[in-house]
Amino acid sequence: MKKKIKFLLMLLLYVVFSHHVKADDVTFKGSAPPAVAMGSQFQLVYVVNVVNAKDFRLPPSLTENFDLLMGPSASTSTSMQIINNQRTSSVSTTYTCILMPKKEGTFELEPATVKIGNSEYKSNAVTIKVLPPNQAAQGGGISSENVFLRMIVSNLSVYEQEGFLVTFKLYTNIETREVNDAKFPEFEGFLAQDIDIKDHPGILENYNGINYQTVIIKQTVLFPQRSGKIEIEGGKVRVILRIRNQNRSRGFFDSLFDYQDVAREVFSQPATIDVKPLPSGKPASFSGAVGSYTVSSDINKTELTANEALTIKLSVKGNGNIKLLKNPEVKFPNDFEVYDPKVDNSNIRVSAAGVNGTKTIEYMAIPRYAGDFEIPAVNFSYFDPKAGVYKTLSTDPFRIHVEKGEGGADAPVVSNYTNRESVKFLGKDIRYIKVGKAHFVSNKEIFFGSFLYVMAYLMIAVLFIVFFIIYRKQVKENSNIALVRTKKANKTAVRRLKQAEKLLKENKEEEFYEEVLRALWGYLSDKLNMPQSELTKENVAAELTKYGVDESLSNEFLEIVNTCEFARYASMQTSGAMDKLFTETIDAIGKMENTIKK
């Protein structure tokens, strides 16, 4: 019973789906790997979106270049989904063949054919490239011949702003488990437009006589921003490879555990691009466009009333640095109120063929008075790098007839822009004219040329001279490095003693004495203008005598130094002794400041 129900359901689905697809909706597609190696098998697959297809025939020339190992075998599939009470269904018939190439070369298979009802349908042609036989990795090891990264540059000699393609491609003939930690150059000197390669498949490629599985890691279109020799640094990726373990003993079950994963970093070589400057003789309408372009324009109306908006749409289409183009100038009559143009770059795409698409600029203006006007043709110039010449394109001019607006030419009006942004316009040349009694200022009230005016200038001149003299004095003093150090010696010592005071409160004995000692030696070095490497007790005593410091103050300084040095190595000081030493240090530096003055 269950088999009968299942058979009836399949029959029902067959009847429903076989009549569901219209002739115009039939799709019949063939696919195969773009490249295969001699001696390897591969699949050739054809899919048609019906289940009642019949009389399927392979391309006639298939067996001339390929051995048909199996097939064509047919299989049908149906699927149905119900989402939010909406039913969607799909059906397909798949024909699969297993082939092996007979010889090397590139071969194009003609379309296959299939009959649906009384009509015959053809698939697309399929191109297959047959490479030399694969060479196995020798010894299970990893070398630069087994896995490497190439930076492929489409053009090494370009003009400024001429786009070219840079591709980072990984080559390997060892099983690759993972690719990560990619690092690519900054492309300094270029404007970069990255290509989305999320779904880019890996393909087989023959390079230097060896077949590799290749995958594109990154693709970028670059536009040089200056002329000259510009270097592009290499890239780097980390790959996890599966190789045969050479250190294991080969047993009966070892084939299950005979491989290990190994990480390797691979680098691509840098490249130097020769960027040529754009030639002289640039047209007046040239604004940096490089590539191949066409231009067209359109206007929404040529007859309108005063204070009614009109829109001119300019479309620049082509391949090149289209995203960088400056907006061409549209010259509206003087009596037109002109607004900033709106730019649409949504139809521009970045691919391996370059940056191409259409840039649309909408210009809006509002005529203020009635009359007949002409908007002249728009000139657009670009440099064609293939031809090496500048080319200029022109649009058609537009003749505009403006009728007098309702309520007169000067009537205020609100007009709507085509992109649904409201534009308010008030048709008045002069606003807020005061019509009351005028008030005039007599000459006696004028400040210019008066006594106060002259005195103000004299005061400014005197202040300038005073500030200039003070400034020159400061510059002269600052140029004397020794004098600067001497004057700042006290401030530097105070800053260090604040750190010593903090250590004192934290009862960090050794650090405290080190900081006090550092403050003392630093102060003496700055004050006496002596390098710290030359500071000894004898030298310091002699220098202090030269500066007129009495012997008692010199001995006080040196006694503090001795105490600090002793305490660093013999931790026998009490908290009270630390407080006393800190006070003595501050007092000694204060006395020294009063004695040595510069």
Side-chain angles (χ1 to χ4, degrees):
M1 185 66 182
K2 290 183 179 180
K3 290 183 178 180
K4 290 182 179 180
I5 294 174
K6 186 177 181 180
F7 175 77
L8 289 174
L9 286 173
M10 291 297 294
L11 182 62
L12 178 63
L13 288 171
Y14 176 82
V15 172
V16 171
F17 291 137
S18 63
H19 297 285
H20 179 69
V21 180
K22 298 179 181 179
D24 293 339
D25 297 331
V26 173
T27 59
F28 184 28
K29 294 182 179 179
S31 62
V36 296
M38 279 293 296
S40 61
Q41 302 176 8
F42 67 95
Q43 286 187 341
L44 174 64
V45 178
Y46 293 91
V47 180
V48 60
N49 64 334
V50 296
V51 295
N52 61 336
K54 58 183 180 180
D55 198 15
F56 170 78
R57 295 189 179 184
L58 290 168
S61 65
L62 184 143
T63 55
E64 295 178 7
N65 303 305
F66 301 91
D67 288 324
L68 182 58
L69 305 181
M70 189 185 76
S73 58
S75 62
T76 60
S77 63
T78 61
S79 64
M80 181 182 296
Q81 289 182 328
I82 300 177
I83 302 175
N84 297 329
N85 294 324
Q86 296 292 324
R87 187 187 72 177
T88 59
S89 58
S90 63
V91 297
S92 64
T93 301
T94 302
Y95 301 92
T96 305
C97 302
I98 305 297
L99 305 178
M100 180 177 285
K102 293 181 178 179
K103 54 186 175 181
E104 300 174 17
T106 301
F107 307 102
E108 181 174 312
L109 301 178
E110 312 98 304
T113 60
V114 69
K115 283 187 177 180
I116 302 172
N118 295 322
S119 301
E120 184 178 81
Y121 293 87
K122 292 184 178 181
S123 71
N124 56 294
V126 177
T127 301
I128 303 171
K129 185 175 183 179
V130 180
L131 305 176
N134 286 325
Q135 296 184 17
Q138 297 180 0
I142 301 174
S143 69
S144 58
E145 291 187 357
N146 301 132
V147 56
F148 55 91
L149 182 68
R150 289 182 65 204
M151 179 173 65
I152 305 168
V153 180
S154 64
N155 195 349
L156 293 172
S157 179
V158 295
Y159 286 97
E160 287 181 70
Q161 296 293 343
E162 180 185 358
F164 63 96
L165 181 67
V166 174
T167 303
F168 290 88
K169 184 184 287 189
L170 180 67
Y171 290 70
T172 176
N173 55 15
I174 300 176
E175 182 183 354
T176 304
R177 310 283 287 178
E178 187 179 345
V179 179
N180 53 38
D181 292 342
K183 185 178 180 181
F184 301 105
E186 296 293 334
F187 301 118
E188 184 178 351
F190 300 91
L191 187 141
Q193 297 283 309
D194 289 338
I195 300 173
D196 187 3
I197 57 170
K198 291 180 180 178
D199 300 325
H200 199 286
I203 62 172
L204 189 67
E205 182 178 325
N206 188 275
Y207 180 72
N208 288 341
I210 302 175
N211 293 336
Y212 294 92
Q213 286 293 333
T214 67
V215 61
I216 293 177
I217 308 297
K218 181 182 178 68
Q219 274 191 315
T220 303
V221 180
L222 299 182
F223 297 93
Q225 301 300 295
R226 56 182 171 84
S227 60
K229 304 282 187 181
I230 306 179
E231 184 179 65
I232 302 176
E233 297 178 354
K236 181 195 76 170
V237 294
R238 182 174 180 268
V239 293
I240 308 297
L241 304 168
R242 170 150 290 193
I243 64 171
R244 184 179 296 276
N245 191 342
Q246 297 298 306
N247 297 323
R248 293 183 58 89
S249 58
R250 300 298 298 273
F252 184 75
F253 296 103
D254 282 347
S255 59
L256 297 175
F257 310 98
D258 203 24
Y259 292 88
Q260 62 176 336
D261 290 345
V262 177
R264 287 289 186 274
E265 284 190 339
V266 290
F267 303 83
S268 65
Q269 295 295 320
T272 300
I273 310 300
D274 180 18
V275 182
K276 298 171 287 188
L278 295 177
S280 58
K282 299 175 183 176
S285 57
F286 178 76
S287 58
V290 176
S292 177
Y293 297 99
T294 60
V295 64
S296 62
S297 62
D298 183 40
I299 191 168
N300 65 334
K301 61 185 74 174
T302 56
E303 295 186 0
L304 63 162
T305 59
N307 302 319
E308 183 181 357
L310 66 85
T311 303
I312 292 179
K313 184 183 292 185
L314 195 69
S315 297
V316 180
K317 183 179 181 180
N319 187 307
N321 60 341
I322 188 168
K323 284 189 176 182
L324 306 177
L325 301 185
K326 295 181 180 178
N327 298 330
E329 182 182 2
V330 176
K331 295 181 180 179
F332 289 95
N334 293 332
D335 292 330
F336 281 45
E337 190 78 14
V338 181
Y339 293 84
D340 291 337
K342 308 294 182 182
V343 180
D344 181 12
N345 285 324
S346 60
N347 292 321
I348 298 176
R349 300 289 179 266
V350 183
S351 68
V355 180
N356 55 76
T358 302
K359 182 174 187 174
T360 304
I361 310 107
E362 289 188 5
Y363 303 83
M364 191 197 73
I366 300 176
R368 300 179 62 185
Y369 301 102
D372 292 317
F373 304 92
E374 180 176 298
I375 300 176
V378 176
N379 293 325
F380 174 76
S381 297
Y382 66 94
F383 179 73
D384 186 343
K386 293 183 179 178
V389 295
Y390 293 97
K391 296 180 179 180
T392 300
L393 306 173
S394 298
T395 63
D396 295 328
F398 294 111
R399 296 185 180 277
I400 311 296
H401 177 70
V402 180
E403 294 284 349
K404 190 174 183 179
E406 187 176 329
D410 296 332
V413 51
V414 177
S415 179
N416 290 328
Y417 185 29
T418 53
N419 65 359
R420 301 182 182 178
E421 291 185 6
S422 296
V423 179
K424 295 183 178 180
F425 173 77
L426 184 62
K428 291 185 178 180
D429 287 321
I430 305 174
R431 301 182 64 192
Y432 308 117
I433 300 177
K434 295 184 179 181
V435 294
K437 185 179 179 180
H439 171 69
F440 297 95
V441 180
S442 66
N443 288 335
K444 294 181 180 180
E445 298 179 21
I446 297 176
F447 176 72
F448 179 78
S450 65
F451 175 74
L452 291 177
Y453 176 82
V454 175
M455 289 301 296
Y457 261 97
L458 289 174
M459 289 295 295
I460 293 173
V462 171
L463 290 173
F464 174 78
I465 294 171
V466 171
F467 285 127
F468 180 76
I469 293 172
I470 295 173
Y471 172 75
R472 287 297 301 270
K473 183 179 179 183
Q474 289 179 344
V475 170
K476 185 177 180 180
E477 290 180 352
N478 290 338
S479 63
N480 189 336
I481 298 175
L483 184 60
V484 171
R485 287 184 61 191
T486 301
K487 286 191 171 185
K488 293 184 177 180
N490 185 47
K491 291 182 179 180
T492 305
V494 170
R495 186 170 62 251
R496 288 170 176 165
L497 287 174
K498 285 183 179 179
Q499 177 63 22
E501 185 179 19
K502 181 180 178 182
L503 296 170
L504 173 63
K505 292 178 180 179
E506 296 173 358
N507 200 29
K508 295 181 177 179
E509 182 180 339
E510 184 178 348
E511 291 89 340
F512 166 76
Y513 287 112
E514 285 183 357
E515 195 63 35
V516 172
L517 190 63
R518 191 178 296 113
L520 286 172
W521 283 124
Y523 173 78
L524 291 171
S525 174
D526 293 338
K527 200 68 178 177
L528 303 177
N529 192 26
M530 294 176 61
Q532 289 199 21
S533 59
E534 298 179 6
L535 288 178
T536 64
K537 296 173 185 178
E538 293 77 13
N539 291 344
V540 168
E543 284 296 318
L544 290 176
T545 302
K546 289 181 182 179
Y547 282 97
V549 178
D550 57 43
E551 187 176 353
S552 61
L553 183 55
S554 297
N555 292 336
E556 186 177 348
F557 250 89
L558 296 176
E559 184 62 29
I560 295 172
V561 171
N562 290 332
T563 303
C564 290
E565 289 181 343
F566 178 78
R568 289 170 61 196
Y569 302 103
S571 180
M572 300 170 58
Q573 303 298 318
T574 63
S575 177
M578 293 166 63
D579 287 328
K580 181 182 177 182
L581 181 75
F582 183 74
T583 304
E584 290 176 351
T585 304
I586 295 176
D587 183 60
I589 291 177
K591 292 177 182 178
M592 190 70 73
E593 281 294 301
N594 293 327
T595 303
I596 303 178
K597 293 183 178 180
K598 287 192 176 182

